Amino acid sequence: RSTLGDDLRKFVITEAYQRSAKALVEQGFVLLLGEPACGKSTIAAALALGALDEWGCSTIRVRDADEFLEHWNPHEPKQFFWVDDAFGATQLDWSATIRWNSAFAQMQAAIRRGARLIFTSRDYIYRNGRHFLKESALPVLQESQVVIHVEQLTRAEREQILYNHIRLGEQSRVFKTQIKPFLPEVAVQPRFSPEIARRLGNPAFTRKLSMTNIGVTDFVERPM
């Protein structure tokens, strides 16, 4: 919980977040897809917080279809369901994926009654699992997808993400002063991601960082 709160302090409203919020408002559902560590869960957390403020929704994090069916209350329309890694964490969980089919009718009913739902998934896992899903039973599964392309973050978004993680991270003042001249170059690197910014803000990841242009570039291009 505290980790999510810390992430939200550093959160930057991106175009992917805006598209996700639009899908949630118009469809009551969003499926956030992207590569590992691209910011899916942070966007989901921000949307959950927004749902609490905007609609007074109670947020329920569920792991699978069984937990959704257990917690969905047809007499309580203001529910916000958040499912991280809905179809598997690092690889496809085909049994969990198939079980969602049995919940699609109830999910459709929940959305019609005012509930909001957000799924996150690594893009390759969803692609591998699609043939197990009866997508026609839940049309919003296809209609409300937001794919996060980290490489399409604008320069302004990259710079703000980087700034927030450095400023609000755990690094010393000396480190922040030393890294500052290299940040413009970090922001334009093709391999830049929110995860890179998070690591630069955390001393645990930068103990062996060489504070040179080559060293910082290598940190971005070849993260360990």
Side-chain angles (χ1 to χ4, degrees), residues 122-135:
R122 297 186 179 189
D123 45 9
Y124 66 87
I125 292 178
Y126 175 67
R127 285 196 302 270
N128 292 338
R130 285 191 65 181
H131 62 281
F132 291 111
L133 293 168
K134 297 178 181 177
E135 292 179 323

Side-chain angles (χ1 to χ4, degrees), residues 145-171:
Q145 294 180 12
V146 174
V147 182
I148 302 173
H149 296 287
V150 172
E151 68 274 13
Q152 293 179 3
L153 287 169
T154 68
R155 179 164 182 167
E157 289 171 346
R158 289 165 174 248
E159 289 176 346
Q160 189 63 55
I161 290 169
L162 193 54
Y163 173 79
N164 285 5
H165 278 276
I166 298 295
R167 184 175 71 85
L168 299 172
E170 301 168 8
Q171 297 285 12

Side-chain angles (χ1 to χ4, degrees), residues 55-186:
W55 302 302
C57 290
S58 57
T59 300
I60 305 170
R61 289 188 71 170
V62 297
R63 291 173 295 183
D64 51 37
D66 295 335
E67 284 195 0
F68 167 76
L69 293 172
E70 177 186 346
H71 291 286
W72 175 51
N73 182 354
H75 304 295
E76 175 50 68
K78 293 185 177 181
Q79 289 182 298
F80 184 101
F81 292 96
W82 172 6
V83 190
D84 254 340
D85 299 317
F87 312 112
T90 57
Q91 60 185 4
L92 177 67
D93 183 337
W94 65 268
S95 61
T97 301
I98 289 173
R99 283 201 299 275
W100 281 112
N101 292 322
S102 63
F104 281 170
Q106 287 87 346
M107 289 171 64
Q108 190 88 306
I111 292 168
R112 282 199 303 266
R113 291 174 179 267
R116 267 82 175 178
L117 294 93
I118 183 165
F119 278 20
T120 74
S121 175
R122 297 186 179 189
D123 45 9
Y124 66 87
I125 292 178
Y126 175 67
R127 285 196 302 270
N128 292 338
R130 285 191 65 181
H131 62 281
F132 291 111
L133 293 168
K134 297 178 181 177
E135 292 179 323
S136 59
L138 188 69
V140 290
L141 196 59
Q142 288 181 296
E143 297 168 3
S144 299
Q145 294 180 12
V146 174
V147 182
I148 302 173
H149 296 287
V150 172
E151 68 274 13
Q152 293 179 3
L153 287 169
T154 68
R155 179 164 182 167
E157 289 171 346
R158 289 165 174 248
E159 289 176 346
Q160 189 63 55
I161 290 169
L162 193 54
Y163 173 79
N164 285 5
H165 278 276
I166 298 295
R167 184 175 71 85
L168 299 172
E170 301 168 8
Q171 297 285 12
S172 68
R173 183 175 297 180
V174 171
F175 178 91
K176 293 177 182 179
T177 301
Q178 291 176 336
I179 195 74
K180 186 176 180 179
F182 303 105
L183 295 183
E185 182 64 24
V186 171

